[in-house]
Amino acid sequence: TAHEASLGDGPYVDEEVLSLRSHLPAEGEEKKDFDRMKRTLLERVFAVDHAVRHGRLVKHLNKEKLLSIAEEEEGYSPPARKQSNTETGLEGPRGLVIEGAALESLLGDRELEELLFAVASTCDSVIACRVSPAQKAQLVLLVRRYVEPEPVTLAIGDGANDVGMIQEAHVGVGISGKEGQQAVNASDFAIAQFRFLEELLLVHGRWSFFRLSIVVLFSFYKNAVMAGCLIAYSGRNLYSGTPLFDEWVIAVLNFVAACPIGAFGLFDRCLDKDYIRKHPEVYTPTRKNELMTTRVLLRWIILVFVHVFILYYLTVPTLASGGGITPAFSGLMANENRNAPGDGEGGDLKSVGLVTFTCMIILLSLKVVFESRSIIHGKWPAFTFRKNVGEGWVNRLAYTWIANAYLSIGFYLAVIYIYMTFGRFGASSFSPFVDTTYHALHTRSLNWMIILITPVAGVAIDIAAK
């Protein structure tokens, strides 16, 4: 780890450890070890990671640093360990122990609070004993008020006297135990034992940060893409407000597009838990909030415009002009009847909108798969009557493919096929969509070519940009 490298517990010869050593501070001279001119244009403009954007990777090292590393590979001598404060005769670590009686006199007065915080901020640890529930909450508020910028505070408690502190902090963790469930009921997260806190914060907390950042961005992205297609079509309908998509088909979007990203938000893992614990440098993106920055938001906004352009201009202008009356599975293409080419005319609004919407659903599903850092294939068969097969069927399901193939694309196809039959039972708002699905997907080979090409083109541009 980076900590072990700083202590000099070498030798190290592999590239990963050399990368860690290149990130270690060296009395303010670490910037001289890198050549910023080695950064590519994409790294300078679009890179999210701070180390990549500022040229702090191994490939950005200058020639002098690479030569020194090559010389050290032959016989690496660890740097001399810095003497601690006690070894040099300086003052050791500081700690503050304060009782509730003293806090009663200090808290509430602005000047005394600033004095208390100034003393506490110079200590490595602060212990407050015999304090009331209100004083616990005031200590959390003290940190939130006097630290600039305001940090994310965490409060952990197991009893009713910790409820105020848990509610005052940004994140509250309750421990269920002999003192009741009051702390658990007031907390954001609940654990059974205190030893579970390490995995909750260092493993699940990091996973959750990565997952939720993508979920939030994707939730705005999918609606922006759909709205962008409607706006792009407004020029063709003379700004009359006529939507490109059928009103009932639009209502399906938030379910079929939410299933893949919902499975992503529940199950995606960017790194294995053992690797995370062994490499503390992977916490840098979360500590520096590099996943929800203006730069990242700008990338998603640009992607919205790119995907709207692809979805609209690869489908609507191609199909709206009409033509293509030969059907996909009969007529001229199958040489069935040269005099009866079929009913493959596909320039109507409902058919064109359905093809564009289908391309958008597939594109959104592929986008989630591309953003996923772990694909859950599961184990086949998930349901079995055999014994000693390991985990239960719940843990054997292929959640990635269930969410994308069945609950998203499969459910969408089932809905539009059922929807096209509703209008046959009498005049209603369903009537204009009668047999639209059959006409769009069964009588025109051009539609299938567009459905296959358009989502792949959108994802290909996304991959090339990254």
Side-chain angles (χ1 to χ4, degrees), residues 317-445:
T318 306
L319 301 175
S321 57
I325 59 175
T326 177
F329 306 109
S330 61
L332 294 180
M333 292 187 61
N335 292 321
E336 291 184 357
N337 187 349
R338 305 295 295 182
N339 298 321
D343 59 348
E345 176 66 35
D348 61 288
L349 178 61
K350 295 295 182 179
S351 298
V352 174
L354 181 65
V355 173
T356 305
F357 196 87
T358 303
C359 293
M360 182 177 64
I361 294 299
I362 298 176
L363 176 60
L364 295 178
S365 180
L366 292 177
K367 174 63 176 175
V368 174
V369 174
F370 175 67
E371 292 292 339
S372 300
R373 297 173 177 87
S374 58
I375 305 297
I376 304 176
H377 297 288
K379 293 183 180 180
W380 180 262
F383 302 92
T384 178
F385 293 99
R386 294 180 301 168
K387 297 181 179 180
N388 301 324
V389 293
E391 298 176 331
W393 64 269
V394 176
N395 298 316
R396 297 165 61 88
L397 295 175
Y399 286 100
T400 299
W401 305 117
I402 290 175
N404 287 274
Y406 299 126
L407 297 181
S408 181
I409 299 176
F411 181 81
Y412 164 72
L413 293 175
V415 167
I416 59 177
Y417 272 99
I418 295 174
Y419 173 36
M420 75 174 185
T421 64
F422 283 173
R424 297 177 179 178
F425 301 104
S428 65
S429 60
F430 304 141
S431 299
F433 203 80
V434 173
D435 285 344
T436 300
T437 304
Y438 177 83
H439 182 73
L441 302 183
H442 288 258
T443 64
R444 303 196 77 203
S445 57

Side-chain angles (χ1 to χ4, degrees), residues 72-208:
E72 293 177 0
E73 285 184 1
E74 300 178 359
Y76 174 70
S77 57
R81 182 175 179 179
K82 295 182 179 180
Q83 291 181 321
S84 63
N85 293 335
T86 56
E87 294 173 346
T88 57
L90 300 177
E91 186 180 358
R94 299 183 180 92
L96 174 63
V97 180
I98 189 168
E99 292 187 349
L103 289 175
E104 187 176 356
S105 302
L106 296 175
L107 297 178
D109 187 290
R110 190 78 176 184
E111 295 182 355
L112 294 179
E113 284 183 351
E114 292 182 2
L115 178 62
L116 173 62
F117 178 78
V119 175
S121 60
T122 61
C123 301
D124 297 289
S125 63
V126 178
I127 300 176
C129 54
R130 298 185 179 91
V131 295
S132 64
Q135 289 174 336
K136 292 182 179 182
Q138 287 178 317
L139 288 176
V140 176
L141 182 62
L142 191 71
V143 176
R144 297 184 57 175
R145 180 182 299 170
Y146 292 103
V147 176
E148 294 292 340
E150 183 179 349
V152 178
T153 55
L154 168 67
I156 308 167
D158 61 350
N161 57 343
D162 299 319
V163 171
M165 173 183 64
I166 291 175
Q167 293 179 341
E168 186 64 42
H170 291 92
V171 181
V173 177
I175 303 176
S176 59
K178 297 180 180 180
E179 297 191 26
Q181 300 294 319
Q182 289 86 346
V184 172
N185 296 334
S187 63
D188 301 299
F189 302 94
I191 55 179
Q193 298 180 23
F194 193 83
R195 61 186 178 91
F196 297 148
L197 182 64
E198 177 185 2
E199 188 165 332
L200 173 66
L201 296 179
L202 302 183
V203 178
H204 294 282
R206 185 181 182 277
W207 285 343
S208 180

Side-chain angles (χ1 to χ4, degrees), residues 215-288:
V215 169
V216 171
L217 293 171
F218 183 86
S219 299
F220 288 99
Y221 155 81
K222 67 179 178 65
N223 290 286
V225 170
M226 191 268 292
C229 292
L230 298 178
I231 295 173
Y233 181 68
S234 61
R236 183 176 286 269
N237 64 19
L238 301 179
Y239 303 96
S240 62
T242 303
L244 174 62
F245 311 125
D246 184 86
E247 58 183 1
W248 290 103
V249 174
I250 293 177
V252 182
L253 174 69
N254 283 326
F255 179 80
V256 297
C259 289
I261 196 63
F264 174 94
L266 291 174
F267 303 110
D268 190 67
R269 298 180 179 182
C270 52
L271 291 173
D272 186 75
K273 61 173 62 178
D274 294 331
Y275 185 90
I276 294 175
R277 289 174 174 173
K278 293 179 180 178
H279 300 82
E281 66 275 7
V282 300
Y283 295 105
T284 301
T286 55
R287 288 193 300 105
K288 295 184 178 180

